[in-house]
Amino acid sequence: MTGLVLTAREAGGPPIDLTGVLPERLADGGVAALPVIRGRERVRLDELFELRDGGPSGTLILRPNGAVLDNVGAGMAAGEIVVEGHCGDNAGAGMRGGALLIEGDCGAFAAAEMAGGRLRVAGAAGDFLGAPLAGSPRGMRGGSVFVGRAGDRAGERMRRGLIAVQGDVGGWCGARMIAGSIVVGGEAGAGLGSAMRRGSILLARDPAEPTPGFADGGEHELLFLELMRRDLMAAGAWPMEFPPAGIRARRLIGDRTVGGLGELLVLSYT
């Protein structure tokens, strides 16, 4: 059994909500009749997409062709989705397993409340990467996310898991973070680690706008850095601005304004 290729029939128009269009549904048959929502209308999947067999077994390949696709991979538990282009909001939200590869950019709330699996975005992710969905107190709680750049509030209320950003992130990265790891290869905006309780944020350089409430704990040799480097290099996600070897980092501890014991680790080349 092969995978399935979905090519959007029309560019533009209202966003298409692909909730429930997942690789684990391919074995059920009847995929063409799956209901999806576009704007205020509920229509069959094959009315909006051309469907054909293709790709490895258990793989769903999406070709947006200029259409905006929301909720791609939301709630996915197994299999693989490849987006050959950009997609909209909520990509990989609530993922529990499997892999989602986006070859372009994605919108807001990617990997929101993610619990497992792997999300890779070749381009930029919008605001609230790995954060809570609207009205929820819990952010990302498992899995791995690799993106080129990210907007504001990446990793907000994060509880577990890994977010690795090759380039810049916006403001309030790691705000109210509870646990987990965030890697930032470029610049970080204001509010970095604000109100974080625990967890680690790895940086290539000192924050341009330091957040009050962090105390300088001096330089340390941290063995876990070698393990993280090895894993991220194997995944092709170790930022180019990070040192290629060594386990030394300057440790900033906080946010002390909330009694936090999180850490900002500025990696050193020495």
Side-chain angles (χ1 to χ4, degrees):
M1 178 180 177
T2 65
L4 186 65
V5 181
L6 275 64
T7 303
R9 296 185 184 277
E10 297 180 8
I16 302 172
D17 184 347
L18 290 184
T19 299
V21 182
L22 300 170
E24 50 259 47
R25 301 291 297 272
L26 299 182
D28 297 342
V31 175
L34 283 175
V36 295
I37 295 174
R38 185 175 202 180
R40 296 182 179 181
E41 298 181 340
R42 188 180 183 90
V43 297
R44 285 169 51 115
L45 185 67
D46 59 0
E47 292 184 37
L48 301 177
F49 293 88
E50 175 189 341
L51 281 65
R52 68 173 180 82
D53 293 339
S57 177
T59 299
L60 181 61
I61 299 174
L62 302 177
R63 294 175 177 166
N65 198 27
V68 178
L69 309 181
D70 287 344
N71 290 298
V72 173
M76 182 166 62
E80 181 178 29
I81 297 178
V82 178
V83 182
E84 296 183 349
H86 306 306
C87 67
D89 296 339
N90 300 332
M95 274 182 72
R96 294 174 287 126
L100 171 57
L101 170 62
I102 300 169
E103 296 180 353
D105 301 333
C106 67
F109 291 101
E113 301 188 22
M114 181 180 187
R118 176 174 292 199
L119 168 64
R120 185 181 294 269
V121 182
D127 297 341
F128 301 103
L129 174 68
L133 291 166
S136 172
R138 299 189 307 177
M140 183 174 167
R141 49 196 172 91
S144 301
V145 176
F146 309 108
V147 303
R149 301 179 307 283
D152 292 341
R153 296 192 176 276
E156 182 174 13
R157 288 191 180 272
M158 185 175 180
R159 290 171 176 258
R160 286 186 63 188
L162 168 70
I163 296 175
V165 183
Q166 283 285 331
D168 298 340
V169 297
W172 309 99
C173 174
R176 298 185 288 178
M177 187 174 175
I178 298 169
S181 300
I182 301 176
V183 173
V184 180
E187 297 286 349
L192 178 67
S194 177
M196 74 183 293
R197 298 280 185 176
R198 291 186 181 272
S200 302
I201 302 178
L202 279 63
L203 306 166
R205 58 185 70 88
D206 289 329
E209 300 182 57
T211 302
F214 282 83
D216 191 337
E219 290 202 352
H220 301 264
E221 291 189 345
L222 305 171
L223 292 175
F224 90 93
L225 291 177
E226 183 58 39
L227 299 176
M228 180 170 283
R229 178 186 293 108
R230 188 183 308 161
D231 289 346
L232 290 182
M233 281 185 170
W238 185 250
M240 292 184 293
E241 295 296 322
F242 278 17
I247 57 173
R248 181 171 291 274
R250 186 161 68 89
R251 187 169 182 251
L252 307 175
I253 305 167
D255 183 345
R256 295 186 302 167
T257 62
V258 295
L261 295 174
E263 56 185 11
L264 308 181
L265 300 176
V266 183
L267 276 61
S268 172
Y269 278 82
T270 58

